[in-house]
Amino acid sequence: SGDVVNRIRNVGHGNGEYVSAGAMTLGDSLLFLMDFDTKSILAYDATLNYMSSFRYGFPAMDFIKVKDGFLFLNLLATEKLHRIVHTNNLGEVQQSYLPSKMSLDMIYNETSFVRDKNGEVYIFPPFSNEIYRWTSGGPKPAFRTDFGRNTAKDNVKSSYDITESERAFNTGFFIVDHHIINNFYHLGKTYYSFYNMKDGRQDQGYADTTEVIPFVPRWQSSNGLIGYILTNDYDKWKPQKDSCDAALFVFHLK
């Protein structure tokens, strides 16, 4: 309904406080919040009461709770600590996967992990054409995108080189029911592709978000896609209440 249950803004360096709140994930009936600056994860209950925290020792942008700990997207992949890092519930590194020599000086996708309605976790590293499924043995290739002659070259040293190449590159993905939805960027436009895994049908195009309810999926929750916008950024579309500064959407595929 959008009714406020609780609101927190505990900015600082003390116990239960954060400096730059970023990614969030759910697991074990808790909400976990990533603090970029202090490299900390804070845990809250369902009504945002602070429970506990721990630190991790590398620069990360996104994370997700798995059965035996967490998966992190490591921003600074090295030979010793690869792009995807698996930690236990205390943030201690257990293993790392998917080595990469590409520096992430530009990033378009906010999320690199999604959980489908069955609880399966999928991994999408930035600027990748591969989607992996998380297993007890690590990430396993699940899907691959192919843009033909517009596919970015392999072994690119910098993500900036990809964005300036005029090639297509993925900026995010979702797995909803029997559909794979990926959004990609090409020549100044953001496109969406819907692939039906049952019948092989694929539809793609870009959404005109200026006159209708904006299609802006940013996160996934079970079979729902969650979108969020600042309404002041849209001149032609406004929510029902003129006093709203922001709007939250939940999209469901028909």
Side-chain angles (χ1 to χ4, degrees):
S1 64
D3 295 331
V4 175
V5 175
N6 193 8
R7 179 180 299 165
I8 59 173
R9 190 175 185 273
N10 299 327
V11 178
H13 291 273
N15 186 40
E17 296 180 333
Y18 51 82
V19 178
S20 54
M24 295 181 289
T25 189
L26 295 171
D28 299 339
S29 300
L30 295 172
L31 170 69
F32 296 95
L33 173 68
M34 173 183 283
D35 182 4
F36 294 153
D37 275 33
T38 64
K39 298 183 177 64
S40 299
I41 301 296
L42 294 80
Y44 300 84
D45 66 13
T47 53
L48 293 183
N49 296 303
Y50 171 73
M51 304 296 289
S52 62
S53 65
F54 66 84
R55 291 197 175 191
Y56 55 93
F58 50 90
M61 185 187 73
D62 192 23
F63 74 125
I64 194 169
K65 184 73 177 69
V66 292
K67 183 178 180 180
D68 56 351
F70 295 86
L71 298 179
F72 289 84
L73 176 73
N74 178 17
L75 289 174
L76 189 60
T78 65
E79 292 185 2
K80 293 184 177 181
L81 197 66
H82 300 324
R83 186 67 74 199
I84 302 300
V85 179
H86 178 211
T87 76
N88 62 16
N89 287 316
L90 299 177
E92 298 167 338
V93 174
Q94 305 299 293
Q95 185 61 276
S96 66
Y97 306 90
L98 308 183
S100 174
K101 294 183 179 180
M102 182 175 65
S103 64
L104 296 178
D105 41 13
M106 292 192 69
I107 299 179
Y108 277 69
N109 53 304
E110 295 183 32
T111 58
S112 292
F113 306 100
V114 299
R115 191 190 317 272
D116 70 9
K117 67 174 184 178
N118 300 317
E120 295 280 1
V121 170
Y122 292 87
I123 303 167
F124 165 61
F127 297 95
S128 174
N129 287 314
E130 301 284 353
I131 297 172
Y132 301 85
R133 183 173 63 87
W134 175 249
T135 72
S136 58
K140 302 298 181 184
F143 308 103
R144 177 176 174 81
T145 59
D146 187 345
F147 298 107
R149 60 185 177 87
N150 287 314
T151 300
K153 295 180 179 179
D154 294 330
N155 301 319
V156 177
K157 295 182 178 181
S158 164
S159 61
Y160 177 79
D161 293 339
I162 295 179
T163 64
E164 295 297 303
S165 67
E166 298 187 349
R167 304 289 183 97
F169 58 90
N170 290 303
T171 56
F173 83 99
F174 308 98
I175 296 179
V176 178
D177 202 7
H178 54 275
H179 287 87
I180 300 173
I181 306 169
N182 73 294
N183 55 301
F184 60 95
Y185 192 83
H186 186 225
L187 297 179
K189 285 187 178 180
T190 297
Y191 296 85
Y192 291 90
S193 172
F194 297 80
Y195 176 73
N196 190 319
M197 290 182 282
K198 285 187 175 181
D199 60 18
R201 179 178 174 180
Q202 181 173 340
D203 297 294
Q204 63 185 30
Y206 66 93
D208 181 359
T209 61
T210 58
E211 309 233 8
V212 297
I213 293 176
F215 182 67
V216 285
R218 296 171 62 183
W219 308 283
Q220 177 176 341
S221 176
S222 187
N223 267 354
L225 299 179
I226 313 299
Y228 170 84
I229 66 164
L230 298 176
T231 56
N232 291 334
D233 295 338
Y234 290 79
D235 295 329
K236 296 183 180 180
W237 179 86
K238 293 294 180 184
Q240 293 178 351
K241 296 181 180 180
D242 292 336
S243 60
C244 290
D245 295 323
L248 185 76
F249 302 93
V250 181
F251 304 98
H252 294 281
L253 297 185
K254 292 184 177 180

